[in-house]
Amino acid sequence: MTNIQPFRAFRYDTEKVSSAQVVTQPYDKITPQMQDRYYAASPHNLVRIILGRRENSDSGENNVYSRAASHFRDWRQQGILRQDSQPSLYAYSQRFTPPGSNSALERRGFIALGRIEDYSAGVVYRHEQTLAKPKADRLDLLRATRAHFGQIFMLYEDSGQIESLLATSAEPAIAVTDEYNVLHRVWPVSDQRLIHSVQTAMNDKKLIIADGHHRYETALTYRNERRVAASSPPSQLGTAPYDFVMMTFVNMNSPALVILPTHRVVHSLPSFSEETFRNAARSFFDVEDVNPSLDAAHSAAMLRESGRAGTSILAVAANRAFLLHHPNPNCAAQAFTGLSLRQQNLDVVQLHKCLLEKVLNLSEESIHNQQNLSYVRDAAEALSQVRGPDARANIAFLMNPCRMSQVRDVAFAGEVMPQKSTDFYPKLLSGLTIYALD
């Protein structure tokens, strides 16, 4: 059963700071350039807590995590962050135009506390693999601050009932446009009858983590640590503040739920030949030579059209480009040991298992460690890395986005996709609401 609860969020006092100057993108989307910009925007920008600068003088007592805790404590004492007086849910709207589109969309959800569940409980499902290093970093931050500053992006499924319950024409408490021209608006909802209606409607929902796998598993680890330290009796398990984490819930059937592709760029191979790649790839796909000078828009159109018939991947090197489609089931089977048909049918799995591992001979470990691989959301950027006088990469692989139905089916089957298989757009801003555990 999905257990959601209202909470008294800490929010920035907009009479003292401008929301636009203090909220940020999620920590893992903050580039060094963005970090610098956030630092310059305000001395109270949330980046100082969720992704602070490391210093040469850092020690066991003075480090990025202790400074984060100090900032959080000081900002509360100074009234920069104020706690809401009533437990609330927070309706959350994002108005945006997807990249490559001219049509504006509005994605609606709500922020609440969700009880942390083991995956084995059949309530929360993941869809992507996670890595140990990011979880260790987030765990150290959570231990130091005892607070959650961004929301886990959770998907549920219904016909629009919950969105209707929370629809409002009132003025939002928060309205801020981010650097991607996305308008974020938040409305606190403290009406107990309405909160109860939402809780009841969510009771039977299964949840899929869209974004925030590392932070969810960090919260799970922290919950287990605190349970051991508290020696709580079984009757009290699931009721402590650390048993919950801040989540944004969005209906997976929403027409405004957008998934973008994340392209792969392979670099620094000891040897690479376009013709050798083409010949090796023919063992796994039909390979069609295409115009090597095609741009990002033509690449997307070609992939979209070819993708109607199934798997399609566009491989672009310095002088040649290939459209790979119609996987060879006999040859491809050797690459899919231990994977279900659901996973095998994913373009991203076809790319990783057949092309990266079998054709280019990249090991799973090197892929996980990104030794010869980088992930690029923008197709034009991916193409620029393999073309021109300053190009340093060997080959770029452009893909169609994963479909929501594929995410749902893989997740509910208890399976996972390769890392960065999905890119839900836009991201949830950090700092709109903050959940302090004590």
Side-chain angles (χ1 to χ4, degrees), residues 40-161:
S42 168
H44 302 109
N45 188 283
L46 192 72
V47 75
R48 286 174 164 77
I49 293 177
I50 64 171
L51 195 66
R53 288 173 174 158
R54 297 180 184 273
E55 301 175 359
N56 292 333
S57 60
D58 281 356
S59 64
E61 295 183 356
N62 179 27
N63 54 54
V64 67
Y65 307 112
S66 64
R67 288 191 293 274
S70 177
H71 287 313
F72 186 43
R73 180 183 62 252
D74 292 346
W75 296 352
R76 284 183 290 176
Q77 291 175 348
Q78 297 163 9
I80 301 299
L81 293 170
R82 293 189 179 276
Q83 190 171 28
D84 287 342
S85 60
Q86 299 182 71
S88 303
L89 306 180
Y90 298 84
Y92 183 12
S93 161
Q94 295 168 288
R95 286 185 179 175
F96 64 100
T97 300
S101 171
N102 294 318
S103 300
L105 298 173
E106 182 173 14
R107 188 174 73 193
R108 286 184 169 269
F110 68 96
I111 304 168
L113 300 186
R115 188 166 64 192
I116 302 165
E117 304 281 359
D118 295 298
Y119 292 135
S120 59
V123 176
V124 174
Y125 295 79
R126 60 178 182 159
H127 79 273
E128 285 189 346
Q129 296 173 340
T130 57
L131 302 176
K133 185 176 180 180
K135 288 188 284 189
D137 167 62
R138 292 300 95 180
L139 183 58
D140 284 339
L141 180 64
L142 181 54
R143 286 168 175 160
T145 61
R146 294 177 180 251
H148 297 281
F149 302 92
Q151 316 108 48
I152 313 297
F153 188 170
M154 288 292 194
L155 302 172
Y156 67 91
E157 189 167 22
D158 80 354
S159 60
Q161 171 193 3

Side-chain angles (χ1 to χ4, degrees), residues 252-304:
M252 69 178 73
N253 293 326
S254 169
L257 188 67
V258 174
I259 304 177
L260 301 178
T262 299
H263 310 297
R264 272 67 170 158
V265 177
V266 177
H267 57 85
S268 307
L269 295 176
S271 63
F272 176 77
S273 160
E274 295 169 348
E275 184 64 17
T276 300
F277 170 82
R278 180 184 186 278
N279 292 335
R282 291 177 65 185
S283 297
F284 298 95
F285 299 92
D286 289 349
V287 180
E288 178 183 343
D289 280 81
V290 297
N291 182 356
S293 62
L294 80 176
D295 60 15
H298 287 95
S299 298
M302 182 181 297
L303 282 167
R304 186 165 52 249

